[in-house]
Amino acid sequence: MKEGVSRSPMFYVGDKYKLIQEIRTYFPANIGRLIEPFVGGGSVMMNVDADRFLLNDIDSHVIGLHKMLCSYVGREQVFYAELHRIIDYYGLSLSYRENTIPQELRKTYPKTYFAKYNKEGYQRLKYDFIEGGQQDWLMLYVLLIYGFNRMLRFNGKGLFNLPVGNVDYNQNTHNALIDYFRQLSKKQVEWHNEDFRVFLENIEYQEDDLVYLDPPYLITFSEYNKLWDESTECDLLKMLDKLNQRGVRFAVSNVTYYRGRTNTLFLEWSAQYYSHPIKSNYISFNDNSIKQFSEVLVTNY
């Protein structure tokens, strides 16, 4: 755990957990409302002080998980009991509580023994989740914790289709949940599940608002970038210009260079504002190597 930084228990791919210490140094000292059109796992809102939080994501499963977790604030022991009941029912490992992996399995599969041990139970859980109509948010959270790279992935028919991962409910998972419940007990949050354009258009802005945006990156290849193109990027930049004209403070993260590609559209637009290079150590899940790329935070203040 990074000192002074809380980790989201959703372990969202591309979240700002490793960068938030640096990013928030560029935030205003006083924030009435932190407004996030792309909240993702919530690492930013967890680590920023504000009077209120307006939080949005177009992914209904992301918002559903946040709402589910928030519903257990103040009754965390009930959450842990229900979560462990599901884990135990499907025979999944729970290294936070005890070591149940047979020594022989550890020797035979030294790097993948969690996946081997949990595969059958995970598949039963996934089947039951789908057969039950995919409405059980606790089941989905367990699938997230034990799934490959802890992603939320659904196929063209809308069915959850992530395979088991080489992970389980460990001490880091538990610590992240503790942090989430602690932080959310102190924050006034409002959840939205809308397209970012609709979300931003319907807000009555106030003088001490800060809009922080971490949109999908136009020139990278993550799963959640597939629905993002130059058209949506242009819409985003136009909306930011409108916010600036209205005197609304904003800060937007983006990647300007990645694997030989340049986001010229964003670079040219950002020249009218203030750009702050961010030291990133992004690792690609495809080959687990550090990529040559440049991340930037652009502000209008």
Side-chain angles (χ1 to χ4, degrees):
M1 181 180 297
K2 292 177 71 65
E3 186 177 351
V5 176
S6 297
R7 182 77 190 266
S8 166
M10 291 170 63
F11 304 100
Y12 203 74
V13 176
D15 79 5
K16 288 294 178 280
Y17 166 67
K18 294 182 178 179
L19 305 180
I20 185 56
Q21 271 185 312
E22 184 177 1
I23 288 173
R24 68 186 178 189
T25 63
Y26 299 107
F27 283 6
N30 297 308
I31 303 173
R33 294 188 303 181
L34 179 68
I35 301 169
E36 288 197 69
F38 309 95
V39 68
S43 286
V44 173
M45 69 89 177
M46 286 177 65
N47 292 285
V48 173
D49 291 329
D51 296 335
R52 292 178 58 203
F53 297 81
L54 272 60
L55 308 170
N56 176 75
D57 204 282
I58 197 170
D59 190 328
S60 60
H61 299 103
V62 168
I63 296 302
L65 285 173
H66 276 300
K67 286 183 174 180
M68 180 272 292
L69 290 171
C70 282
S71 73
Y72 286 97
V73 171
R75 55 190 195 106
E76 291 84 356
Q77 295 311 312
V78 175
F79 171 82
Y80 295 130
E82 294 181 358
L83 191 71
H84 292 178
R85 177 184 56 78
I86 295 172
I87 292 170
D88 290 340
Y89 180 80
Y90 289 97
L92 302 171
S93 64
L94 185 56
S95 61
Y96 163 73
R97 185 178 63 194
E98 59 181 327
N99 177 10
T100 56
I101 309 294
Q103 193 61 34
E104 188 61 33
L105 198 63
R106 289 174 178 267
K107 288 181 180 179
T108 308
Y109 305 101
K111 294 184 178 180
T112 59
Y113 54 80
F114 277 127
K116 297 292 183 182
Y117 182 88
N118 290 319
K119 183 177 181 180
E120 183 180 338
Y122 182 87
Q123 289 177 329
R124 286 196 299 116
L125 171 60
K126 182 164 66 172
Y127 177 83
D128 288 348
F129 173 69
I130 294 171
E131 287 297 299
Q134 302 191 143
Q135 296 299 309
D136 190 314
W137 295 106
L138 262 174
M139 291 177 76
L140 180 59
Y141 184 68
V142 177
L143 288 169
L144 169 70
I145 293 303
Y146 289 81
F148 180 73
N149 281 336
R150 290 180 164 167
M151 297 170 62
L152 288 173
R153 196 181 73 187
F154 295 79
N155 63 21
K157 296 180 180 179
L159 304 178
F160 186 84
N161 72 339
L162 195 70
V164 68
N166 191 45
V167 285
D168 86 331
Y169 188 112
N170 55 27
Q171 186 66 54
N172 288 336
T173 309
H174 193 69
N175 290 344
L177 283 164
I178 290 173
D179 280 350
Y180 187 93
F181 289 134
R182 186 181 71 248
Q183 292 293 343
L184 270 295
S185 70
K186 302 183 293 185
K187 298 179 185 293
Q188 292 189 41
V189 300
E190 186 180 304
W191 300 105
H192 294 262
N193 174 214
E194 299 171 322
D195 180 276
F196 75 93
R197 289 161 285 212
V198 175
F199 173 68
L200 288 173
E201 282 285 359
N202 290 334
I203 294 172
E204 293 186 11
Y205 293 97
Q206 301 169 6
E207 185 178 355
D208 54 1
D209 286 343
L210 173 66
V211 181
Y212 172 71
L213 309 96
D214 184 28
Y217 298 151
L218 186 62
I219 57 173
T220 64
F221 305 104
S222 299
E223 181 78 17
Y224 54 82
N225 289 4
K226 291 182 177 179
L227 300 178
W228 197 263
D229 56 23
E230 285 198 6
S231 175
T232 44
E233 184 98 346
C234 285
D235 286 347
L236 174 67
L237 302 183
K238 289 175 184 176
M239 297 204 77
L240 290 173
D241 286 337
K242 285 183 181 179
L243 291 178
N244 184 61
Q245 291 165 8
R246 297 173 65 175
V248 179
R249 301 176 299 183
F250 70 72
V252 55
S253 292
N254 214 318
V255 168
T256 53
Y257 302 98
Y258 179 76
R259 296 176 70 174
R261 308 177 77 191
T262 301
N263 189 341
T264 306
L265 185 64
F266 186 83
L267 275 173
E268 292 179 352
W269 168 85
S270 66
Q272 62 189 307
Y273 299 112
Y274 305 99
S275 293
H276 315 279
I278 301 297
K279 298 172 185 175
S280 176
N281 56 352
Y282 172 85
I283 296 178
S284 167
F285 279 116
N286 294 321
D287 58 15
N288 210 35
S289 61
I290 296 177
K291 297 296 178 189
Q292 289 185 342
F293 82 117
S294 299
E295 183 152 346
V296 67
L297 182 76
V298 174
T299 65
N300 68 335
Y301 53 85

